[in-house]
Amino acid sequence: MAVMLKPLASEEVAAFWQLAFRDPQAAWTQTPLPHIGLTTWSGNQRMCHLAESLGLREEARVRQVRYWQGRYWDSVKYGVLREEWHRR
């Protein structure tokens, strides 16, 4: 059975991340972790743009490791430090 997910708007993603950093019940606030991030692929330009618009930085790129529709794509890692998130 295929599951169709609704694309998230940047406001929804920003609200989720804000909750993750500020909600005392969120796992992020319960740990001393200084960093959170996400990984996508270079063919997903909307996710890359969304990550950058939220203030995440590209931290790593592994070239040509994902194969889709007859082409190789890069794996792209974005992240933000806790103090960077609070300064934005």
Side-chain angles (χ1 to χ4, degrees):
M1 178 173 98
V3 176
M4 297 300 291
L5 298 176
K6 173 180 91 92
L8 295 175
S10 58
E11 298 83 21
E12 292 171 318
V13 176
F16 169 79
W17 282 55
Q18 190 65 26
L19 178 68
F21 279 111
R22 295 199 186 273
D23 182 353
Q25 299 302 315
W28 175 259
T29 60
Q30 302 293 317
T31 68
L33 293 174
H35 173 275
I36 60 174
L38 63 88
T39 303
T40 189
W41 59 291
S42 58
N44 190 348
Q45 291 298 311
R46 291 177 64 185
M47 181 57 93
C48 293
H49 177 73
L50 176 60
E52 292 168 3
S53 72
L54 290 172
L56 280 68
R57 296 182 187 179
E58 183 178 320
E59 297 180 326
R61 180 177 290 259
V62 182
R63 297 179 296 167
Q64 297 185 359
V65 295
R66 296 187 182 208
Y67 187 79
W68 186 65
Q69 293 189 342
R71 181 175 168 195
Y72 284 96
W73 301 85
D74 298 349
S75 178
V76 187
K77 165 79 171 84
Y78 290 92
V80 64
L81 296 174
R82 183 189 301 258
E83 64 264 14
E84 291 171 342
W85 181 264
H86 290 301
R87 283 197 306 255
R88 42 173 229 112

